[in-house]
Structure formats: C-alpha cells, structure tokens
Amino acid sequence: MRLDKTKQGWWKDAVFYQIYPKSFQDTTGNGTGDLRGIISRLDYLENLGIDGIWLSPVCRSPQVDNGYDISDYCDIDPIYGTLADMEELIREAKKRGISIILDLVLNHCSDQHPWFLDAKKGPESPYYDYFIWRDAPNDLDSVFGGSAWTYVPELNKWYFHQFAPQQPDLNWENPRLRQALYESIRFWVDKGVEGFRLDVIDQIAKEPDRHITINGPRLDEYLRELSAKVFHPEPLVTVGEAWGADVERAKLHSAPDGSRLSMVFQFQHIGLDQAPGGAKWDIVPLPLVELKRVFAHWQQGLRSSGWNSLFLNNHDLPRTVSRWGNDGQYRVESAKMLATMLHGMAGTPYIYQGEELAMTNIRLRRDQYDDVETHNLFRDRLALGYSEEEILRSVHARGRDNARTPMQWTDGENAGFTTGKPWLPVNENHSFINVEAALADPDSVFYHYQKLIRLRKTMPIFREGDFTLVDPENSKIFAYIRHWEGKQLLVVCNFTAETLAWELPQPFQAARCLIANYPQDCSGLRPYEAAMYYLD
Ligand code: NOJ
C-alpha cells in the first residue's frame, strides 16, 4: 500500500526502516556496505512494506564515528559510492514508494572538515567563529568520555566537542554557520531526499560556559528558523534525536503547525534499565510497570498535540530482543511480542535493520570492537579500577556494536553481506537467523512485521485511537486498549518466559484476533505471547 506523499502529514501513516549503511550490504568486496548494496535490497524492503528509509550518515567522513563526523556535507563518502549512486538510490527507492530520509549531523562536523582546518588558522579565518573556542577548558565531559575540550597548541586555545575530539561542535550562535548548514540541506532536498533525521538536535543550542549542553535557551528559535528556511514549503518528514525531551518539549518540537519538526525520538523508555545515578553501562532489570507508565505518559501526552515516534532499536542501542526479550529459546516469540507491543501504539514506527529478523546482540573480545565509545569505556573504566571482565559484561549488554554487526542475508559465508573481510564480525547465528530463512518461513518474525505494517496502514485506529493501560500495576503483562469511534483495539503482551493466568476481558471475547504469535487458544498467556484483538 503506497502512501500519497504529497499530502501534508503523510508520515503519520508511514513506517520507516533504518539502515546503517556500513553494515547493510557490500557489493565491492571491501567489507563495508555501500549504496549499491542498498539499491540491490530495495525489493526486500518493499516486500516488508516500509515507506521510507532513514539512512545513517553517508556523507564524506573520516569515519571516526562511522560517518557522524562529516567532512563534506554535500558529497558521498567513497566507501559508500558516489553522488550518482545516491541519486540512483533516491530514484529507485521512490519507484517503490520508499522515501529516503538522510541523517543530518548539525551539532558538530569532522575535524577534517575544511571549515575546521581553516578555523585553526586563527581568529582571522572566516570559519573561526563556526566553532567554540576558549582560553581555558572547564570541567564539562564529552559524551564519549574524557574532557569536552581539546587544546590546539598553534592557537593556544581549546575547542569544544560534546563527542570525540575529532567531532568539533559547531557554533550555532553564528548566523553565517547556520546559513551554510541550510544550504547543504537544500542541496539534498533538491536531489529528491524527502526528509531528515536530525542527530542530537537538542544539543545544538549549547552554552558551555553555563554548563548547558542540552535544551539550551535558543533551541526553539533555531528549530523554527531551520524549519522556516529549509523544511518549508516541502512536505518533508523530520525527526529530531532528542535525549533531553520530556512530553512538554516534545509537544513543542512536533507542534502540529509544522513550525519545527514532525516528531522527535525521545529516550525515556530507553533509560529504564539503567541504575539510578549510573551510566548506561550500569544495568538493572527492566521495571515493566515503569515501562508501561512511560509509554502511557507519551501516548496520552502527545494525543491532543504533537506526534510520537515509536522505536526500540537503533544503531546506538543493543538489540531489544536480547535486552527485553529472550534471545534463546523464545527469540522468535519475544521478538514478535515486542513488535506487537510497540506497533499497536500511536506514532510513526521505526524498524532498525535486522530487527525484522530478530537479530541478536553479539559477544566479542575487546580487540574485536570498533566503536569509539567502547574503546573509551575500556580506557576510562580500567583507569577507575574496573576489571576487563566487568567492562566486557557491560559492553556485551549495552555496546553499540551489538546493533552494528553485518546484516544477515543468508546462512552462507559472511551471511551474504560481503565476499571480503567484514569490517565488524558477522554474528555466527546467521546460520539460522537470516533473510533467506525468514522469507521461506510463513511464521517468521519478518512476516509478523509485514502484517503489523499492513494493519497500521489499513486501520485508522492505530493512528487515531486513544490509549488506556489495562491493569497498570501488573509487572508481567503489558496490555492496553485503544478506542476510536466506537471501535476498540486490545493489545496484550506477556513479558515473561512463564505461562500466566489471564482472561480476555469483556467485551473482547467477541473480538477478532488481528495478529498473534501463537495459535489461538484463550486460556492464559504462553511465554512471551502477544496478540491484538479488534472489536468494531
Ligand atoms: C547520535 C548518533 O546516533 C550516534 O551514533 C553518534 O555517535 C552521536 N550522535 C554523535 O553524532
């Protein structure tokens, strides 16, 4: 089912699929994925039923942070192909009803960007004020560990970077910098790109001297300007990564008049299994009651105004089936359960590559990891006295490379991802978790996602219905009801490996089961059982 993308707000009916290009499909044998690889898999994505691809960064980059360090905003990195390949990808995707959504990294660029290289000449450079310089650092730390300031001896100055030193922060207070960014965004709109995901967008309005890195006072002003200057009048879809968003902020960021963004990725649910006061590496069991409360808060909070994004996975997060499901005996059941839980809600769902196969986390040795964040973690925590085993435990559970292992296409060599040496090890479980096997099995996780996508597109209740938790204090079952125009949708999910006593509430005994991960049987809930019931 194709959406009419000339319609304002088309993205409210859409389902997006995130591609991490380095790990999707290699066609050159160099061990990294590329744009031609994505083109070769468009039919697969069309079959899944998605409407758009969020493509993690493919612009020219030294790849210190896998493309989130851009050295040319208007060119394609040679490891991924050429501008012509990108144009072909946009065209070929469009033919299949699939929009390309580019990842815009506007908070920082690469230290190899000509702007930064020139800025390092000193205050007389026209680019000096594109960056944030101080005579002395303060105590702010970077997200990847270590100080947020790096010294440039030639200038006897320090520059600010919220991420790696190779990712200098851009100074949004400078209107010339903003204008230069807008021009590069227009470059892609003119090429046919239909939307953008905006990397750490709530960090652009930083004021490091006041220790403000997120939700700075000028954030809303910048978002309004960005939207007015580049996102209008096109019916583009824009989704901002906003770790600092609460419901009130998200309402503003996604104001229905289109004056800012279409929606944001908020992360309140993502931090729930993190020890209070600790870092993401300090893990506690998922409190299900709290997870339900958080989802209900967002569902209800953005009902009258604004719009939700729906996601459990991305390239920065561990695989959810390993995290909140069961990647052993109940991998298939729990992956379908998690998908059912999420796709029953209001919002725009995002599927991360391999999620539709229930790809799992991986356990690598320290020397096999690629991620800059993981390497810094070893450096910092070893210095603090943690043992290597303890750190590995955290990395196995939370490291970003869990999500970045190559896409598993077949049970053959390197999972059909490359004929060369993959840049990151392929998970050995590709022997049974792979696209070929999923497509051959009518009961696979892939077809469950395909069905969820179809349901959303054919039944307005998914978009329009309200949201009420059933039995909010139940710590094992996540159930909710959506109401819309006299119709009701019940979603019920068992989050445990146990069989639980449960009865279909009245009036759903007369309801139609839209989708389930077990054959129908109304007594109790089997391990990770999930179903949706519809009453009209
Ligand atoms: C968020 C991106 O998702 C992540 O992968 C990246 O490392 C940081 N922003 C810095 O760009």
Side-chain angles (χ1 to χ4, degrees):
M1 245 193 91
R2 298 230 175 144
L3 299 178
D4 172 8
K5 293 184 179 163
T6 57
K7 215 178 81 191
Q8 284 292 338
W10 60 267
W11 35 267
K12 289 193 176 176
D13 291 313
V15 178
F16 289 94
Y17 184 92
Q18 182 190 355
I19 290 184
Y20 199 65
K22 208 167 177 182
S23 302
F24 196 61
Q25 176 68 69
D26 177 23
T27 57
T28 64
N30 71 352
T32 45
D34 46 56
L35 295 177
R36 304 214 67 80
I38 300 174
I39 297 171
S40 74
R41 297 298 186 179
L42 286 171
D43 290 340
Y44 167 75
L45 297 174
E46 186 184 14
N47 182 17
L48 180 59
I50 53 124
D51 307 285
I53 294 172
W54 153 22
L55 198 55
S56 277
V58 288
C59 285
R60 198 176 273 272
S61 157
Q63 303 291 330
V64 169
D65 187 18
N66 290 337
Y68 286 92
D69 47 320
I70 291 177
S71 55
D72 185 342
Y73 283 97
C74 297
D75 201 5
I76 295 296
D77 196 276
I79 67 165
Y80 295 130
T82 63
L83 212 46
D85 293 335
M86 185 67 193
E87 286 162 352
E88 188 176 332
L89 171 60
I90 295 169
R91 238 183 358 256
E92 286 301 317
K94 215 171 261 188
K95 273 191 204 160
R96 294 165 175 83
I98 297 175
S99 305
I100 299 292
I101 309 304
L102 282 194
D103 210 319
L104 279 180
V105 189
L106 305 179
N107 176 68
H108 47 269
C109 62
S110 159
D111 65 346
Q112 299 307 306
H113 194 294
W115 293 342
F116 191 70
L117 295 176
D118 203 86
K120 284 210 294 187
K121 292 183 186 151
E124 64 289 350
S125 159
Y127 301 104
Y128 182 80
D129 280 332
Y130 276 29
F131 300 92
I132 297 168
W133 303 94
R134 294 291 181 268
D135 292 334
N138 65 10
D139 58 354
L140 277 176
D141 279 337
S142 95
V143 174
F144 291 159
S147 171
W149 299 92
T150 290
Y151 184 58
V152 176
E154 307 92 278
L155 296 181
N156 191 24
K157 297 262 185 209
W158 300 73
Y159 68 88
F160 181 63
H161 53 86
Q162 299 191 64
F163 295 89
Q166 297 89 339
Q167 295 168 295
D169 265 54
L170 291 164
N171 175 18
W172 272 68
E173 289 186 7
N174 179 345
R176 278 193 305 114
L177 172 267
R178 302 205 297 277
Q179 198 49 45
L181 290 176
Y182 302 156
E183 277 157 27
S184 50
I185 303 173
R186 289 251 35 125
F187 173 85
W188 292 111
V189 175
D190 292 344
K191 293 230 170 290
V193 156
E194 289 172 275
F196 298 97
R197 176 261 187 189
L198 298 103
D199 191 63
V200 291
I201 199 65
D202 57 2
Q203 291 175 231
I204 57 174
K206 55 250 159 182
E207 293 190 14
D209 303 324
R210 297 168 63 202
H211 287 78
I212 297 175
T213 53
I214 214 157
N215 293 325
R218 295 186 71 184
L219 177 60
D220 191 54
E221 171 197 335
Y222 294 152
L223 290 181
R224 276 185 286 119
E225 183 179 283
L226 181 60
S227 173
K229 297 236 161 133
V230 278
F231 302 150
H232 279 287
E234 326 274 341
L236 295 172
V237 55
T238 51
V239 49
E241 185 195 22
W243 285 82
D246 54 19
V247 163
E248 286 316 307
R249 284 201 175 89
K251 258 188 194 168
L252 188 67
H253 296 333
S254 63
D257 63 1
S259 52
R260 283 90 168 169
L261 305 173
S262 312
M263 66 194 111
V264 291
F265 290 128
Q266 63 82 17
F267 292 85
Q268 230 180 324
H269 57 301
I270 294 300
L272 292 177
D273 52 2
Q274 176 174 320
K280 75 171 185 182
W281 312 105
D282 306 312
I283 304 155
V284 296
L286 173 72
L288 186 67
V289 171
E290 200 44 27
L291 182 77
K292 298 195 298 188
R293 197 192 58 73
V294 166
F295 270 118
H297 179 62
W298 281 86
Q299 287 291 297
Q300 290 156 2
L302 295 191
R303 182 159 166 72
S304 55
S305 172
W307 189 247
N308 268 299
S309 70
L310 302 171
F311 72 98
L312 294 174
N313 292 278
N314 69 28
H315 65 291
D316 292 330
L317 303 174
R319 296 275 179 186
T320 307
V321 68
S322 299
R323 181 183 193 178
W324 292 344
N326 175 317
D327 64 7
Q329 186 183 354
Y330 296 114
R331 184 182 61 85
V332 168
E333 290 81 357
S334 66
K336 291 179 182 173
M337 181 279 285
L338 289 162
T340 309
M341 181 274 287
L342 192 72
H343 285 243
M345 296 187 193
T348 299
Y350 290 76
I351 300 167
Y352 178 67
Q353 67 183 41
E355 178 183 335
E356 77 283 14
L357 308 174
M359 276 177 61
T360 68
N361 280 353
I362 195 168
R363 288 162 179 259
L364 298 176
R365 295 186 315 266
R366 178 181 174 186
D367 60 294
Q368 291 176 301
Y369 282 100
D370 172 86
D371 183 12
V372 54
E373 184 187 55
T374 297
H375 288 298
N376 289 354
L377 181 77
F378 274 105
R379 181 198 64 201
D380 295 348
R381 289 213 157 173
L382 284 172
L384 288 170
Y386 286 75
S387 70
E388 189 157 323
E389 293 68 50
E390 279 173 288
I391 304 170
L392 261 183
R393 247 198 314 280
S394 293
V395 171
H396 288 163
R398 288 290 184 277
R400 303 195 299 179
D401 283 341
N402 281 309
R404 299 176 181 184
T405 62
M407 180 72 176
Q408 295 167 202
W409 297 102
T410 69
D411 64 1
E413 202 178 346
N414 294 324
F417 163 68
T418 181
T419 54
K421 183 175 177 317
W423 73 279
L424 195 65
V426 172
N427 199 318
E428 282 176 8
N429 62 22
H430 72 274
S431 57
F432 61 98
I433 306 176
N434 61 69
V435 167
E436 222 168 61
L439 292 179
D441 172 9
D443 242 0
S444 69
V445 179
F446 175 92
Y447 290 116
H448 194 85
Y449 272 89
Q450 188 191 56
K451 195 164 178 191
L452 286 170
I453 295 171
R454 273 201 205 131
L455 286 171
R456 169 169 294 269
K457 291 207 203 156
T458 44
M459 302 178 69
I461 195 166
F462 285 93
R463 191 179 76 184
E464 306 289 347
D466 67 5
F467 183 97
T468 313
L469 283 175
V470 176
D471 196 3
E473 297 307 315
N474 188 315
S475 61
K476 297 182 173 176
I477 298 171
F478 191 160
Y480 57 86
I481 296 180
R482 314 273 319 270
H483 296 99
W484 179 67
E485 293 195 340
K487 303 168 188 18
Q488 300 191 62
L489 174 76
L490 168 71
V491 179
V492 57
C493 300
N494 176 357
F495 261 72
T496 75
E498 304 158 39
T499 296
L500 304 174
W502 191 77
E503 264 181 43
L504 207 53
Q506 278 294 2
F508 286 94
Q509 278 157 5
R512 179 155 59 98
C513 179
L514 296 179
I515 188 167
N517 61 352
Y518 279 90
Q520 279 308 282
D521 161 358
C522 288
S523 54
L525 285 175
R526 288 156 284 189
Y528 297 101
E529 182 161 0
M532 284 184 182
Y533 298 92
Y534 185 61
L535 205 63
D536 53 7

